[in-house]
Amino acid sequence: MRLKRTDKDDPDFITLVHELNTYLEIADGADHEFYHQFNGIDNLEAVIVGYDQTIAVACGAFRIKKMGQVEIKRMYTFPSHRQQGWAGKILYALEDWARELKNHKSVLETGVNQSEAIRLYPKLGYKRIPNFEPYVGVITSYCFGKKL
């Protein structure tokens, strides 16, 4: 398990995001277009890619949401590598990076159809919070937060 700090232009990250978008198109169903508009990669400041040997199998990123706070984005693990700790390793590495940049809070959003994510984030120290913009009032969104 090797993690690499990189940026939004990393070819392995772009490939993983493509896989994530394909997965979400099915999982989100009719809600996909709504969520997809908030999932571009252009504004991501930090990206982590996880490698099994030389194969990129997991990723995550963050963007600065506001002073002292990051928003975790684009978390994904290939189905063949789930339940092996990849998501936790990626998320903890992103949190470490965010702390290095003087951030003190991490927030994220996931959809109601992402049951694996909804179960995972509380195990990693995240608590359900009121939906933040642009998800305020969106009943199919679950928002989480954590002090870093």
Side-chain angles (χ1 to χ4, degrees), residues 3 5 48 62 88-98:
L3 302 182
R5 285 185 179 188
I48 303 278
F62 69 73
K89 295 279 188 194
I90 297 278
L91 189 56
Y92 290 146
L94 288 167
E95 291 172 356
D96 287 343
W97 198 350

Side-chain angles (χ1 to χ4, degrees), residues 3-23:
L3 302 182
K4 176 177 82 170
R5 285 185 179 188
T6 187
D7 62 34
K8 63 181 174 42
D9 298 319
D10 184 284
D12 290 330
F13 177 64
I14 292 169
T15 298
L16 287 164
V17 167
H18 175 73
E19 293 292 325
L20 170 60
N21 289 338
T22 300
Y23 167 79

